[in-house]
Amino acid sequence: MTTSSSRAARSGAVRKVPALAPAGRPQKPSVYTGVRLRQWGRWAAEIRVPGTRQKLWIGTFETDRQAALAYDAAVFCFYGVHLPRGRNFNFPGAPRPDIPAWVRVQLNVTSIKAIAERHARGVDARLPPLVVAPATTATAMAAGPSAGEGASALPDDVRSTLHG
């Protein structure tokens, strides 16, 4: 009588083993395209070079947002603002590198890597932090401000600008 494991080995069946997270930590996937978590806790950004099977490793970053911004800058360097089907920016409203189209089409992968890495770190420093509103706040905001609300939620300098 044979065991099921030896039977599977003879038949050529492959048993799928779930991937373990590095160093006993649960694997936290990124919600951003082109971004993955490295074993030591930093975030890496990668993109495929158009027309080749080559991957361009952009770099590692402290946050997944920085890595996503680097990916977006690389996508912009390769394609401009008119992306092909299947490609999207992680942050459609974020600023892009200030590179004229005639220069952008002449860039090599080394230049694109350097531009994307530098741009991501600079833009991330200028963007406000991403804050996810609690469900109660989001529900209250969707319902609209009640009497006395709204104006008190604005900072004093913005409120004085609005009300003259």
Side-chain angles (χ1 to χ4, degrees), residues 5 9-10 16 38 43-44 59 73 79 82 85 94-95 105 112-113 153:
S5 62
R10 279 195 310 246
K16 292 185 179 181
R38 299 293 300 249
W43 296 91
Y79 300 106
H82 303 292
R85 186 187 310 214
V105 297
I112 291 173
K113 176 184 174 182

Side-chain angles (χ1 to χ4, degrees), residues 59-77:
T60 56
F61 302 87
E62 292 295 321
T63 66
D64 59 343
R65 181 169 94 160
Q66 279 183 347
L69 287 165
Y71 173 85
D72 284 0
V75 167
F76 173 78
C77 288

